[in-house]
Amino acid sequence: MTETIALIKSLADRYGRTRDALMPILQGVVEEERYLSDVAMTEIARELDIAAAEVYGTATFYSFLDTVPRGKYVIRVCKTITCDMHGKKRVIEKIEDLLKIKLGETTQDKKFTLLTTNCLGWCHKGPVMLINNTPYPDLNEDKVTEIIMEYIRK
Amino acid sequence: MTKHKQIRIALRNCGVIDPQAIGEYIARDGYQALATCLTKMTPEEVIDQIKKSGLRGRGGGGFPTGLKFEITRKSVSDQKYVVCNADEGDPGAFMDRSILEGDPHSVIEAMAICGYCIGADKGLVYIRAEYPLAIERLKIALEQAREMGLLGKNIFNTGFSFDIELRYGAGAFVCGEETALIHSMEGLRGEPTFKPPFPSVSGYLGKPTNVNNVETFANIPVIINKGAGWFSAIGTEKSKGTKVFALAGKINNVGLIEVPMGTTLREVIYEIGGGIRNGKKFKAVQTGGPSGGCLTEKHLDTPIDYDNLIAAGSMMGSGGMIVMDEDNCMVAVAKFYLDFTVDESCGKCAPCRIGNKRLYELLDKITQGKATMEDISNLKNLCTVIRDASLCGLGQTSSNPVLSTLDNFYDEYIGHVVDHKCAAGQCKALMKYVVIDENCVGCTACARNCPVNAISGEKKQVHFIHQDICIKCGACYDRCKFNAIEIQ
Ligand SMILES: Cc1cc2nc3c(=O)[nH]c(=O)nc-3n(C[C@H](O)[C@H](O)[C@H](O)COP(=O)(O)O)c2cc1C
Ligand code: SF4
Ligand code: SF4
Ligand code: FES
């Protein structure tokens, strides 16, 4: 908790304490802690001197600003039309199989969360997924297995 | 094959230069246009050139860029902003990502030119978080431009100062809409607001803000260097220059192309795109993402430009082209776009938030084979209500994929409703796996592999699939070595 508070203070020192600093601060917290806890949101509200409801309202608008705990590695598979045409379903099933979780869930050891997202801008090389900040295009069952196994070993 | 149909303006440096070496950009006339503007031209003269070039916004709307500069210039204020919209989110589009990854300086240079034109010393790039490599390349490019004095104070000793800051999206498609984008940068929910006032008059922090798309910006240095006349000689009467299209889907050559406005769909698909994959038959191409519609066989020889696409019931959008073949069910395609819209509607206004959900449900009902003709007429009515009553472009255009597939593929809708058949064989609920009695040798492979025990039959006897139990997984079809299972 003290770590979270210190993090928020340093982010506010860097981005300022005006309303337009809110997004960079929220993104900074997610970058470090993978999600926005209640503690983090109330602390940001205090630091910027705005209502906690405002912080919550903004955070919950954006799909990348998670307000529930996420794994260390957040996997987002594109579910949009061209990736669907090229077999995103089999890729998702393979990941579910490998990690023994269903879409939307986080593994027990808090290492992986599996989500879907809309078009990632790699439509010519679908299916594609994002693991934290790294895109992996041209997936098939073998390739996704290789990548996930590598992360499991990390 | 016919590479000569392509002209690279926006993509001139992509794949040619090392985007992380500013020297390579400069060696190909980089920052020449900025120097010309700052040292030899007045802002009015630059704006005049851009107006004469006929350049229109590449982010979807097609608004004349020079006119936008002029309006923002004429808005009186102590502070103005230049914003680059890099929130590209249309399914099927990836040109903005490619430009930022392959030629970030072209956008930086153009933003500085825009700053000079409108009287702004500050620029912001709003880029989606899904594009980490583009973000990285932009950061490096900004750093190098500052080091060389091409950004910062007193550029080329002219007294003009300009710098650029990055802002990141957080996974919300609607933030590509310019008012939503501005609210997102202000730290608010990314909800659109009513226009007017346009950002050119009152935008970021209430100040005049010129918002342009990545590809729009990438064209500007070339217009200054080669002249408005050169640019406006390319293209059609009302759409000048080139357009970058992203080809994806069932086409042989996927990826980016840049062709003069007015190129026909046939040239794009067959000559440049190499035709349909696996020798299948062309069915349609979806342009304009969730705001657009599909173009079909009968549109193959229509010259592609802003106005012709609208007349054909679609739109330019950002230039994504998703090609469909005979195996794509067009009702399912429409349903796909509605699923996207339902996800991405910001929820501020009821017609879009609730109406699109109802549209989706109606389409789902059709693909399930449970719809009636009354549902089809409700579908049409709902489309017009959502279009007329929504606040922003997302809701105003979300019914286009439905209206355009209804227009072009009415038979397919009727097939689902009246005959309970999906001609493309894509709608699972309307498919049936059945045993062909003559071919079945009773090997039991299907029955053993069926996950829900939907198949009965003794060894060496003809098997039978119980349709009420079958979940249509296709396992029996894949396992049968005697071609004894067919899909009806
Ligand atoms: C729902 C919606 C999404 C949009 N997404 C984008 C986008 O991702 N990129 C973009 O440049 N313009 C997008 N636009 C258009 C912008 O609102 C705006 O018109 C554009 O950025 C202006 O730049 P231009 O004149 O250079 O095209 C979107 C519009 C709507 C209604
Ligand atoms: S039309 Fe849809 S996306 Fe646009 S403001 Fe209304 S609810 Fe939001
Ligand atoms: S399609 Fe799947 S569920 Fe249906 S009969 Fe065949 S194996 Fe069983
Ligand atoms: S549809 Fe999946 S990346 Fe575009």
Side-chain angles (χ1 to χ4, degrees), chain B residues 195-226:
Chain B
K195 293 188 280 195
F198 288 92
S200 300
V201 175
S202 171
Y204 182 54
L205 304 175
K207 306 291 183 188
T209 304
N210 196 97
V211 185
N212 276 119
N213 163 264
V214 172
E215 187 187 332
T216 313
F217 276 126
N219 277 290
I220 287 176
V222 185
I223 293 174
I224 302 298
N225 286 337
K226 297 204 175 177

Side-chain angles (χ1 to χ4, degrees), chain B residues 174 192 345-349 352-353 390-392 394-395:
Chain B
V174 72
S345 163
C346 82
K348 182 171 176 167
C349 51
C352 172
R353 180 182 69 243
S390 291
L391 173 66
C392 87
L394 191 144

Side-chain angles (χ1 to χ4, degrees), chain B residues 169-406:
Chain B
F173 170 74
V174 72
C175 287
E177 197 282 333
E178 54 193 4
T179 61
L181 180 147
I182 287 166
H183 297 315
S184 180
M185 295 200 305
E186 290 168 339
L188 305 171
R189 291 164 69 87
E191 286 169 357
T193 41
F194 188 76
K195 293 188 280 195
F198 288 92
S200 300
V201 175
S202 171
Y204 182 54
L205 304 175
K207 306 291 183 188
T209 304
N210 196 97
V211 185
N212 276 119
N213 163 264
V214 172
E215 187 187 332
T216 313
F217 276 126
N219 277 290
I220 287 176
V222 185
I223 293 174
I224 302 298
N225 286 337
K226 297 204 175 177
W230 175 84
F231 189 85
S232 65
I234 305 166
T236 63
E237 195 200 333
K238 287 190 179 145
S239 304
K240 299 300 186 188
T242 57
K243 178 77 194 85
V244 181
F245 292 104
L247 301 182
K250 311 277 185 69
I251 187 163
N252 279 316
N253 308 331
V254 291
L256 292 186
I257 63 165
E258 183 169 354
V259 291
M261 294 275 188
T263 305
T264 64
L265 200 54
R266 187 185 302 281
E267 290 167 318
V268 168
I269 293 177
Y270 291 97
E271 294 180 26
I272 303 170
I276 308 302
R277 261 191 210 182
N278 303 326
K280 297 263 183 175
K281 205 166 159 286
F282 166 75
K283 188 167 192 180
V285 46
Q286 174 83 17
T287 63
S291 307
C294 56
L295 303 171
T296 62
E297 192 94 46
K298 70 172 191 265
H299 302 114
L300 276 176
D301 294 307
T302 309
I304 306 169
D305 68 9
Y306 291 100
D307 310 289
N308 282 342
L309 285 183
I310 288 172
S314 182
M315 65 186 260
M316 183 76 80
S318 45
M321 284 196 172
I322 302 180
V323 180
M324 326 271 175
D325 68 8
E326 54 197 297
D327 296 337
N328 288 108
C329 165
M330 297 313 287
V331 185
V333 166
K335 188 176 120 180
F336 228 105
Y337 282 103
L338 262 297
D339 177 54
F340 180 90
T341 306
V342 169
D343 262 359
E344 301 293 351
S345 163
C346 82
K348 182 171 176 167
C349 51
C352 172
R353 180 182 69 243
I354 304 169
N356 282 313
K357 184 99 180 122
R358 294 293 99 84
L359 266 191
Y360 176 84
E361 287 163 1
L362 281 171
L363 290 168
D364 190 51
K365 201 169 162 193
I366 297 172
T367 58
Q368 301 276 346
K370 292 179 187 154
T372 60
M373 287 308 287
E374 198 194 339
D375 288 322
I376 301 257
S377 83
N378 286 341
L379 194 68
K380 278 191 201 162
N381 289 337
L382 192 51
C383 282
T384 24
V385 172
I386 297 171
R387 185 188 64 203
D388 297 343
S390 291
L391 173 66
C392 87
L394 191 144
Q396 285 158 5
T397 58
S398 65
S399 44
N400 283 349
V402 183
L403 290 170
S404 118
T405 47
L406 269 172

Side-chain angles (χ1 to χ4, degrees), chain A residues 14-15 18-24 26-27 50 53-65 76 79-86 88-89 93 116-126 130 132-135, chain B residues 89-94 97 101 126 128-132 167-172 174-175 184-191 204-205 247-250 254-255 277 322-324 328 333 336-337 339-340 343-344 346 426 428:
Chain A
R14 175 156 166 217
Y15 295 112
T18 49
R19 180 70 193 238
D20 59 331
L22 179 58
M23 285 294 282
L26 291 170
Q27 286 160 331
I50 52 179
E54 288 281 336
V55 177
Y56 181 78
T58 303
T60 49
F61 185 85
Y62 298 94
S63 67
F64 279 27
L65 298 178
R76 296 174 205 268
K79 64 166 182 172
T80 312
I81 190 159
T82 46
C83 288
D84 185 76
M85 281 187 205
H86 295 138
K88 68 112 210 291
K89 188 162 165 272
E93 283 167 359
T116 52
T117 187
N118 275 321
C119 183
L120 291 169
W122 286 91
C123 326
H124 58 321
K125 292 187 172 182
L130 206 58
N132 289 354
N133 277 330
T134 314
Chain B
D90 266 10
F94 44 89
R97 173 176 68 76
E101 286 177 2
Y126 186 91
R128 64 194 302 228
E130 290 90 332
Y131 286 176
R167 293 299 179 85
Y168 309 112
V174 72
C175 287
S184 180
M185 295 200 305
E186 290 168 339
L188 305 171
R189 291 164 69 87
E191 286 169 357
Y204 182 54
L205 304 175
L247 301 182
K250 311 277 185 69
V254 291
R277 261 191 210 182
I322 302 180
V323 180
M324 326 271 175
N328 288 108
V333 166
F336 228 105
Y337 282 103
D339 177 54
F340 180 90
D343 262 359
E344 301 293 351
C346 82
Q426 208 193 333
K428 266 195 168 180

